Amino acid sequence: MDLGLDGKVAIVTGGAKGIGAAIVRAATAEGMTVAIVDRDEAVSQAFAAQLRAAGHTVHVVIASLETAAACAAAVAEVVARCGRIDALINNAGVNDGVGLASGSPAEFAASLDRNLSHYFAMAHYALPALTEWRGNIVNIASKVAVTGQGGTSGYAAAKGAIMALTREWAVELLPVGIRVNAVIPAEVMTPLYEQWLATHADPAGKLQDIVSKIPLGHRMTTADEIAAAVLFLLSSKSGHTTGQQLHVDGGYVHLDRAIR
Ligand code: NAP
């Protein structure tokens, strides 16, 4: 299926690894020019070199997105280099374990800066270009927003707010035709997920326990499966889809627990 994305420009925050990297690969495979906005310079540059060697057009913007100024500068750099923005994929985030009992109010606020504020700032600063080019936005949330996890108030609050902002922006941007949707992963093997598994006494046992509860196929969702959903939402094939929260999780969040 031709998604009609050839030649369009996408920003992928956190595009160096994991889900973001899968989105970058899928977007370049559709002929998009992609700006990887990530703080990991070595991995971003190596990944971009690999993609360029395969004939794709990729830019790297090194930024740590916790401040509005960093987001403004990143967007300005993409516009300067690419001349347009057709898609913003807000993806960077970290499940940082700031709990109600274990964390302080200051740590909670810092977690929101790591996980939420840059979604707003990136969309805010990209809005003029997105409006000019009639682009759209996909926000990566998390099942933690819906199910809770325990011990991670900042991350849960951020991901819940991201789902709310997806609806809010979908409404606000109706007049300019910018669609806004969210993709909600649950269990995807990425560097971040591997780090989290490693915090358990028996990582292999913990993983087995988790996959046994994933209804469809008793397996993890692949990052490529998340990316495919994102690309569909970016494309004109989903031209009448906005404000949606798409769970790509093998039925983990919604299907009847009795069938597991
Ligand atoms: P990942 O493997 O850690 O990759 C994320 C990339 O983004 C890393 O390169 C990371 O750099 C970078 N990054 C993170 N915060 C950043 C910031 N503030 N500024 C610049 N770069 C930043 O993570 P992932 O598992 O692919 O997760 C991607 C998104 O999916 C996140 O929003 C996460 O909450 C969401 N998600 C993931 C899962 C899952 O099962 N993996 C489930 C639900 C939701 P560093 O390596 O330096 O941190």
Side-chain angles (χ1 to χ4, degrees):
M1 191 187 336
D2 178 9
L3 295 179
L5 293 168
D6 194 18
K8 295 194 170 183
V9 173
I11 295 179
V12 183
T13 69
K17 302 190 197 106
I19 289 169
I23 296 167
V24 171
R25 276 193 298 274
T28 53
E30 289 297 325
M32 296 187 89
T33 292
V34 179
I36 297 169
V37 177
D38 200 288
R39 63 185 166 205
D40 190 329
E41 180 154 21
V43 172
S44 297
Q45 295 292 6
F47 183 36
Q50 203 181 59
L51 292 164
R52 288 184 195 119
H56 301 302
T57 308
V58 182
H59 298 269
V60 172
V61 177
I62 298 306
S64 202
L65 298 169
E66 288 81 2
T67 65
C71 295
V75 169
E77 196 170 333
V78 175
V79 172
R81 288 204 215 170
C82 304
R84 59 191 285 167
I85 302 172
D86 300 278
L88 169 65
I89 300 97
N90 274 321
N91 165 75
V94 55
N95 191 345
D96 50 5
V98 177
L100 180 59
S102 64
S104 67
E107 287 167 332
F108 178 79
S111 178
L112 297 187
D113 283 340
R114 280 190 286 271
N115 287 299
L116 172 62
S117 304
H118 58 84
Y119 276 50
F120 178 89
M122 290 298 292
H124 174 78
Y125 292 117
L127 193 53
L130 287 170
T131 302
E132 184 177 350
W133 298 99
R134 213 180 170 86
N136 62 72
I137 300 172
V138 174
N139 292 321
I140 305 299
S142 168
K143 67 115 171 56
V144 171
V146 181
T147 63
Q149 180 178 294
T152 194
S153 291
Y155 184 73
K159 293 302 188 182
I162 286 163
M163 289 174 69
L165 288 175
T166 299
R167 288 266 153 81
E168 166 65 11
W169 297 347
V171 174
E172 181 166 334
L173 299 178
L174 287 171
V176 286
I178 294 177
R179 297 180 300 105
V180 187
N181 292 289
V183 171
I184 305 159
E187 311 292 334
V188 185
M189 193 55 71
T190 65
L192 180 67
Y193 199 96
E194 282 171 18
Q195 282 166 29
W196 174 77
L197 267 184
T199 64
H200 293 84
D202 175 14
K206 180 70 182 171
L207 180 59
Q208 188 45 45
D209 185 37
I210 290 167
V211 296
S212 73
K213 296 185 176 78
I214 298 174
L216 187 60
H218 300 293
R219 65 167 178 84
M220 303 286 282
T221 306
T222 67
D224 289 342
E225 288 167 330
I226 303 293
V230 170
L231 267 285
F232 168 69
L233 290 171
L234 293 182
S235 79
S236 58
K237 303 294 180 198
S238 65
H240 215 204
T241 301
T242 193
Q244 296 306 302
Q245 301 169 345
L246 179 59
H247 291 258
V248 181
D249 65 358
Y252 191 76
V253 168
H254 290 95
L255 297 189
D256 188 339
R257 282 171 167 70
I259 60 153
R260 296 175 188 181

